[in-house]
Amino acid sequence: MASAFMLFYCFLNIAWVVFRRWRDRRCYLVDYVCFKPSDDRKISTEFSGKIVERNRRLGFPEYKFLLKVIVNSGIGEETYGPMNIVEGREESCTFSDGLAEMDSCLDSTLDELFKRAAASGVTPRDVDVLVVNVSMFAPAPSLASRIVRRYGMREDVKAFNLAGMGCSGSLISLDLVWNVFQVRGKTTAVVLTSESIGPNWYCGRDKSMMLGNCLFRSGGCAMLLSNDPAMRRRSKMSLRSLVRTHIGANDDAHNCAAQLEDDEGLVGFFLGKDLPKAAVRSFTDNLQRLLPKVLPTRELILFAARTAKQRLKWLNKAGAAPAATRINFKSGIDHFCLHPGGAAVIEGVGRNMGLSAYELEPSRMTLHRWGNTSASSLWYVLAYMEAKRRLRKRHRVLMVTFGAGFKCNSCVWEVERDLDDEGAWEDCIHSYPPKTLANPYFEKYGWINDEQ
Amino acid sequence: MPMAPLPQFSSSVKLKYVKLGYQYLVNNFLSLLLLPVMAAVSLELVHRGPGEMVELWESLRVDLIHVMCYLFAIVFVSTVYFMSRPRPVYLVDYACFKPPATCRVPFSTFMEHARLIYPNEKSVRFQMRILERSGLGEETCLPPANHYLPPKPTMEASRDEAQLVIFSAIDDLVRKTGLKPKDIDILIVNCSLFSPTPSLSAMIINKYKLRSNIRSFNLSGMGCSAGLISIDLARDLLQAHPSSKALVISTEIITPNFYPGNERAMLLPNCLFRMGAAAILLSNRRRDARRAKYRLVHVLRTHKGAEDRAYRCVYQEEDSEGNSGINLSKDLMSIAGDALKSNITTLGPLVLPMSEQLLFFLTLVGRKVINPKWKPYIPDFKQAFEHFCIHAGGRAVIDELQKNLDLSAEHVEASRMTLHRFGNTSSSSLWYELNYIESKGRMRRGDRLWQIAFGSGFKCNSAVWKCMRTVKTPVDGPWANCIHRYPVHIPEVVKL
């Protein structure tokens, strides 16, 4: 009797350790807040045209090139820029301008996040892990320290400040938090992701570096995460898997997107011609590791069978190599959050994955309304889906981003409850999708598309 | 004639032995308690005799099945115990960048350049006074771009410096450990004042062709204590992933941070910061335990940023002319002292022997209950550690810590000599100091090491390591050709 009891006790112990390990792999997104800058920071096509005009270094060919990019970019009239550009000081951005730009994002998003978190009983002093990711601005003391000071966080808070990680920085921050969750007990984490536009404005004449000026816009997002099972009921989503792929070992991929100096010594963000190829390669690598984790076994077996059949057919008949067999992503994923890096990126990825206009709508609309806000753009896409009431309990959401290096990071979330918060889209969700995404200045500047 | 000195001497000697006896008693309390217990048991055995013992055994009615069940239970309980312990993190080896002699900046070169670059005579004289009292030697190095008149802080030059220091350190580490780049699972780079896109971690992945499923992180803006923050992150990642290796790179890139202005508080970094980098290989594989040098015992982070004064004491900003630089406040020492106190308050109970903790506790109780005028007892950290690596931030920092922790000159020798030979290399300085201790042949198996670093924010981070095998004096490395000249006496003021 006593020995039976002891055996049972031992089994219970092991079961408990295994269960605890499994439970600690949970990562709940309790809430998130996207940054909505003030309306006086809006940048329209006309305003962009004026900025181009006043740059003394640019001649007519550059003017034509830039307007062509802006008009065809898929970016709308209501995106936001930093204050120093709106005030006409884009070429003389001071250090305090850079800090002020960051402060406007940090204060606004974190104030709102903590206000909402108070309802769950979470205060800034309860935060155990803080991760800040801003790729192109890393002052000392770090932005993470700035937040610790502003909100009076505890002395033993684990603060991390990531920089230089490109547009996929928010998923890297998530990876960091998830790893820390697995080794600490009940932990609360705050992640802040944003990008610094002001100090990184390119004033020169190199066309491959001017693209950044046209595409990047101000934005940011603050997220509250926890691995406490008690927070599950209040949380929006839980993380199922996260896969990171880095193809920096390939020289072309590494050099295709980089911060460089041009021939005149002016610093700008270079976007090279190899970028689409690097994106496709890293995306394929990433999917190869991600899909076995998220698609149902039935679909994987069917895909393997279809591929084998096609290969056999090709072996038997001589001719061109077979087209790649389509995999049905929708068997395991309900919503697709694609990084709105540019119209071409969204179209390219959508075509490769066989996605419809409905599925690509959130990314296209985000590009139109907010521009490319770098690492935080995914969260605007997610907020669009939420505002449109598309996210229902047990739905799965795939997030994919690309970043300089070259990286492709992806993750899959499972929605915990029906979501309906309009967030940053509150004042405009009802006018989306608009009848046309074409630039209203197309007629005015349309002549630039004519080849001479 | 007064007889006072002799009795004082004899009483202090008696006190020393009393203290030693007290420490031995408290620290070995449990083992000392075992002696009378064992004596009692053996007396009882002798009393009873063998026959009675056999009778006692049979009365328990133990049969084979019971024995098997109990054995089974013991095996299971011990497996559960071992499974739920956190994985140990080993430091397999590390390598520091050895600057080439061509990058040397002796005082004469520094002052000559300063006179040519700064039109303001006051700025030149200020830098000379700082250099005289800095504790730096004549062999510290600045990157090639800083040797130009005026220095060329371009992005390309910064990347060149990064490639020089980081790749040299990694190449050394690969040579020492036989590390295959494809085996690296985790890569963490920390560099406070230079964070290009793509990051330095991407640069390393490109150069060494690391795997595509690597977990890489690039920390920036986190100051001189970022090295220990990287170690903390590496530890968490290694504990989350079995059978992994982590490469941690700690460096500071000097090129883009040259300050050409006239603000005094911002000229200090020009005088103190020098080129350096360290590459550290960590592992959680059991088979690496045999060849590892150290095992990580604790990492403790303290962030005083919630206080405004602490937050602003190391602050990057633009001066009135628009030049960007790091402003070091006059409060730095007292803030560092505060941060250290917070850190050791948490660290103390984890590392101090029972004797020190008991004394501290009794004094605390005494102050609260009996008499608040009792002096607070500062625990003797020399009981907990054999070696100390204090970030060589500057002479004043080392002096302050030596005073606060009541350390001897030998304990802070590694820090002072590193400051003299290499200058303030920011986050990598701790590793140069450790290399000094090893080069002097002082690191023995079982020795405990304490690394303390301060950084902007204001942070105080510390790490505790235990030496796993006696370290042979290295034949290469940054100290190899000059260790025989050390330690040197560093005068208070070197007249220039």
Side-chain angles (χ1 to χ4, degrees):
Chain A
M1 185 62 206
S3 40
F5 178 72
M6 281 203 73
L7 262 170
F8 183 63
Y9 177 74
C10 293
F11 274 122
L12 267 183
N13 228 341
I14 293 170
W16 172 249
V17 169
V18 170
F19 167 75
R20 212 185 57 189
R21 281 244 174 103
W22 167 80
R23 186 197 65 185
D24 287 344
R25 284 186 65 77
R26 288 298 190 187
C27 173
Y28 299 112
L29 177 71
V30 179
D31 205 351
Y32 67 99
V33 173
C34 290
F35 176 43
K36 183 158 184 285
S38 50
D39 284 344
D40 55 1
R41 288 168 62 170
K42 283 193 183 174
I43 292 185
S44 60
T45 306
E46 195 160 2
F47 189 81
S48 309
K50 288 207 183 76
I51 297 176
V52 175
E53 269 170 42
R54 61 178 179 237
N55 186 339
R56 299 285 151 80
R57 286 193 191 82
L58 301 180
F60 185 70
E62 286 89 25
Y63 180 70
K64 186 173 154 183
F65 170 77
L66 279 172
L67 277 179
K68 189 170 173 183
V69 167
I70 293 168
V71 164
N72 292 321
S73 62
I75 294 178
E77 299 301 301
E78 299 197 305
T79 58
Y80 302 91
M83 253 349 253
N84 71 305
I85 289 178
V86 167
E87 287 171 0
R89 290 184 293 113
E90 66 269 7
E91 300 205 1
S92 53
C93 181
T94 61
F95 196 75
S96 13
D97 283 331
L99 279 177
E101 187 189 343
M102 288 294 101
D103 278 341
S104 68
C105 175
L106 304 183
D107 295 344
S108 155
T109 50
L110 286 171
D111 280 348
E112 177 67 27
L113 189 73
F114 284 122
K115 201 169 81 179
R116 291 198 205 181
S120 317
V122 175
T123 63
R125 285 197 71 78
D126 296 322
V127 176
D128 303 299
V129 179
L130 171 67
V131 183
V132 176
N133 131 255
V134 173
S135 190
M136 300 203 285
F137 186 61
S142 60
L143 295 169
S145 295
R146 213 169 168 82
I147 295 174
V148 169
R149 167 177 163 253
R150 171 100 167 71
Y151 294 93
M153 294 186 178
R154 293 195 323 256
E155 274 181 11
D156 62 346
V157 70
K158 278 168 171 293
F160 296 98
N161 195 85
L162 300 171
M165 309 218 82
C167 297
S168 62
S170 64
L171 291 190
I172 295 173
S173 312
L174 261 181
D175 186 37
L176 201 163
V177 166
W178 201 20
N179 278 293
V180 175
F181 277 178
Q182 288 174 45
V183 293
R184 309 272 139 206
K186 290 187 192 156
T187 313
T188 304
V190 167
V191 173
L192 188 111
T193 174
S194 183
E195 190 55 269
S196 168
I197 313 288
N200 298 296
W201 185 261
Y202 176 63
C203 312
R205 286 187 294 189
D206 190 327
K207 287 193 180 144
S208 49
M209 294 196 192
M210 286 194 264
L211 285 167
N213 285 1
C214 305
L215 300 173
F216 289 112
R217 295 289 184 271
S218 296
C221 180
M223 297 151 240
L224 179 66
L225 300 142
S226 174
N227 68 347
D228 186 350
M231 295 293 262
R232 187 178 181 174
R233 256 176 297 117
R234 287 192 210 101
S235 58
K236 292 192 168 176
M237 307 197 292
S238 66
L239 189 59
R240 304 294 280 162
S241 49
L242 194 151
V243 171
R244 293 174 60 179
T245 305
H246 200 304
I247 57 166
N250 178 299
D251 286 335
D252 291 333
H254 181 250
N255 299 324
C256 72
Q259 228 179 346
L260 294 173
E261 278 152 343
D262 67 7
D263 298 329
E264 292 167 12
L266 297 164
V267 178
F269 202 83
F270 167 77
L271 295 167
K273 293 192 173 58
D274 288 325
L275 205 145
K277 208 168 76 177
V280 165
R281 249 201 70 194
S282 58
F283 190 41
T284 319
D285 271 346
N286 191 292
L287 285 181
Q288 275 173 356
R289 286 170 49 211
L290 179 75
L291 293 179
K293 294 185 191 182
V294 298
L295 290 184
T297 328
R298 178 177 46 92
E299 178 59 35
L300 294 168
I301 293 173
L302 278 172
F303 174 66
R306 267 183 259 139
T307 319
K309 187 172 158 201
Q310 268 225 321
R311 290 261 162 86
L312 279 171
K313 250 206 256 172
W314 176 66
L315 277 173
N316 285 333
K317 299 183 194 166
T325 32
R326 268 282 146 81
I327 193 163
N328 183 10
F329 294 94
K330 288 168 246 196
S331 59
I333 311 280
D334 301 292
H335 307 283
F336 298 84
C337 264
L338 307 176
H339 170 56
V345 172
I346 302 174
E347 300 312 318
V349 175
R351 203 176 34 245
N352 272 323
M353 293 178 81
L355 301 178
S356 66
Y358 177 79
E359 276 136 9
L360 290 178
E361 184 186 307
S363 302
R364 283 195 186 125
M365 298 306 121
T366 301
L367 182 64
H368 185 264
R369 173 66 178 86
W370 304 93
N372 178 353
T373 59
S374 186
S376 53
S377 53
L378 276 182
W379 302 96
Y380 289 97
V381 179
L382 185 73
Y384 181 90
M385 293 174 183
E386 193 177 340
K388 284 284 187 192
R389 313 277 197 278
R390 292 189 186 188
L391 300 176
R392 299 272 148 242
K393 188 169 176 174
R394 278 193 276 276
H395 279 190
R396 294 212 171 182
V397 183
L398 169 69
M399 284 186 166
V400 180
T401 56
F402 302 97
F406 198 81
K407 310 170 185 72
C408 174
N409 299 335
S410 62
C411 72
V412 174
W413 296 93
E414 181 169 319
V415 181
E416 290 288 327
R417 56 185 170 87
D418 293 350
L419 301 175
D420 57 9
D421 182 11
E422 289 177 355
W425 290 92
E426 201 175 359
D427 59 351
C428 60
I429 192 67
H430 302 292
S431 55
Y432 275 87
K435 289 197 185 61
T436 170
L437 285 176
N439 192 297
Y441 289 90
F442 190 72
E443 278 89 54
K444 184 173 176 187
Y445 294 115
W447 54 267
I448 58 169
N449 275 328
D450 303 332
E451 293 301 326
Q452 282 176 341
Chain B
M1 269 220 329
M3 292 290 285
L6 214 51
Q8 267 181 359
F9 170 70
S10 64
S11 71
S12 75
V13 165
K14 276 192 201 133
L15 206 62
K16 178 177 148 197
Y17 284 117
V18 164
K19 196 159 186 203
L20 272 172
Y22 158 77
Q23 281 166 359
Y24 188 76
L25 189 70
V26 172
N27 293 335
N28 299 310
F29 184 67
L30 285 174
S31 350
L32 287 173
L33 200 64
L34 207 58
L35 282 167
V37 167
M38 279 185 64
V41 166
S42 35
L43 266 172
E44 193 60 36
L45 268 173
V46 164
H47 241 254
R48 293 250 180 132
E52 269 205 48
M53 299 310 301
V54 172
E55 263 179 48
L56 200 65
W57 178 253
E58 276 173 2
S59 72
L60 283 174
R61 268 181 284 143
V62 168
D63 62 15
L64 190 66
I65 295 185
H66 273 114
V67 169
M68 292 286 289
C69 286
Y70 289 134
L71 266 173
F72 193 56
I74 290 169
V75 164
F76 263 120
V77 167
S78 37
T79 321
V80 162
Y81 171 70
F82 283 112
M83 260 173 60
S84 56
R85 270 194 335 174
R87 293 188 184 96
V89 173
Y90 303 110
L91 192 158
V92 178
D93 209 341
Y94 66 96
C96 298
F97 167 65
K98 183 170 175 186
T102 47
C103 291
R104 233 166 39 100
V105 178
F107 293 158
S108 51
T109 311
F110 189 90
M111 289 319 304
E112 187 186 337
H113 281 227
R115 282 187 203 101
L116 290 166
I117 296 166
Y118 294 92
N120 188 335
E121 182 59 34
K122 281 197 180 135
S123 302
V124 175
R125 271 208 303 271
F126 177 75
Q127 289 187 74
M128 188 165 82
R129 277 207 310 276
I130 296 293
L131 209 56
E132 283 173 351
R133 290 160 180 76
S134 62
L136 263 69
E138 300 267 18
E139 292 182 277
T140 62
C141 295
L142 281 173
N146 282 48
H147 289 257
Y148 282 81
L149 288 161
K152 286 185 177 175
T154 61
M155 187 165 242
E156 196 182 335
S158 309
R159 277 203 169 102
D160 285 342
E161 183 195 339
Q163 288 179 353
L164 170 67
V165 304
I166 296 175
F167 295 165
S168 305
I170 297 179
D171 287 341
D172 269 345
L173 185 65
V174 164
R175 203 173 28 82
K176 276 187 185 182
T177 57
L179 172 70
K180 292 194 196 61
K182 294 280 181 219
D183 286 343
I184 300 174
D185 303 287
I186 298 160
L187 172 67
I188 302 171
V189 178
N190 75 269
C191 173
S192 192
L193 298 166
F194 179 55
S195 54
T197 304
S199 58
L200 296 175
S201 58
M203 187 180 81
I204 296 171
I205 292 174
N206 175 251
K207 163 80 176 174
Y208 292 94
K209 311 293 178 219
L210 303 184
R211 291 195 329 253
S212 66
N213 63 348
I214 195 167
R215 288 190 158 78
S216 63
F217 297 94
N218 192 85
L219 300 171
S220 202
M222 306 207 80
C224 300
S225 62
L228 294 183
I229 295 175
S230 306
I231 300 284
D232 181 39
L233 180 59
R235 179 189 57 165
D236 284 343
L237 288 165
L238 285 171
Q239 285 181 346
H241 301 282
S243 210
S244 303
K245 286 192 174 164
L247 178 62
V248 175
I249 309 288
S250 288
T251 183
E252 190 57 75
I253 303 301
I254 310 290
T255 305
N257 300 303
F258 174 75
Y259 174 66
N262 294 299
E263 198 65 39
R264 283 189 186 189
M266 292 159 90
L267 283 168
L268 277 165
N270 278 4
C271 305
L272 300 174
F273 282 99
R274 296 291 185 265
M275 208 163 62
I280 303 115
L281 178 62
L282 299 169
S283 169
N284 62 2
R285 297 185 188 182
R286 297 241 182 258
R287 69 186 97 109
D288 286 331
R290 258 176 281 126
R291 59 176 186 140
K293 277 184 172 174
Y294 304 96
R295 182 171 62 83
L296 182 60
V297 183
H298 299 292
V299 179
L300 258 149
R301 296 174 58 176
T302 305
H303 201 307
K304 300 293 266 180
E307 289 161 39
D308 220 34
R309 211 177 58 117
Y311 175 74
R312 290 204 74 95
C313 83
V314 177
Y315 201 74
Q316 188 178 11
E317 59 188 359
E318 270 168 354
D319 66 9
S320 49
E321 292 162 19
N323 297 308
S324 175
I326 312 271
N327 194 325
L328 298 173
S329 118
K330 292 190 178 64
D331 286 334
L332 188 57
M333 285 307 116
S334 68
I335 291 165
D338 274 340
L340 179 73
K341 279 200 190 76
S342 302
N343 194 288
I344 64 180
T345 308
T346 321
L347 186 68
L350 296 172
V351 297
L352 287 169
M354 234 28 262
S355 53
E356 291 298 310
Q357 297 201 40
L358 198 61
L359 266 177
F360 178 73
F361 178 68
L362 289 174
T363 331
L364 194 70
V365 163
R367 288 186 73 208
K368 289 251 153 51
V369 170
I370 303 172
N371 183 359
K373 289 220 186 88
W374 278 10
K375 265 176 55 186
Y377 179 70
I378 297 170
D380 186 7
F381 278 86
K382 299 194 284 287
Q383 298 290 326
F385 303 108
E386 278 76 35
H387 307 286
F388 296 79
C389 283
I390 301 164
H391 164 56
R395 196 180 199 152
V397 172
I398 304 174
D399 289 341
E400 178 79 12
L401 256 79
Q402 187 180 8
K403 195 181 73 183
N404 273 337
L405 297 172
D406 191 29
L407 300 175
S408 70
E410 194 180 321
H411 286 128
V412 295
E413 186 184 308
S415 309
R416 289 200 198 280
M417 297 308 124
T418 300
L419 183 64
H420 184 266
R421 172 64 180 84
F422 295 100
N424 178 352
T425 58
S426 186
S427 43
S428 53
S429 63
L430 295 172
W431 303 102
Y432 285 97
E433 291 169 25
L434 181 58
N435 202 260
Y436 178 87
I437 297 172
E438 289 180 358
S439 302
K440 281 290 186 189
R442 292 176 189 164
M443 191 57 79
R444 300 244 171 288
R445 183 186 166 149
D447 281 356
R448 292 153 301 174
L449 165 73
W450 188 18
Q451 290 181 319
I452 317 168
F454 299 97
S456 61
F458 195 77
K459 306 177 197 61
C460 172
N461 299 333
S462 56
V464 177
W465 302 86
K466 186 156 182 166
C467 183
M468 310 244 333
R469 54 177 174 89
T470 301
V471 178
K472 280 197 291 247
T473 316
V475 294
D476 51 15
W479 292 98
N481 65 346
C482 61
I483 193 69
H484 55 279
R485 284 190 267 120
Y486 282 88
V488 292
H489 169 67
I490 305 171
E492 272 299 320
V493 178
V494 175
K495 253 309 166 202
L496 290 179

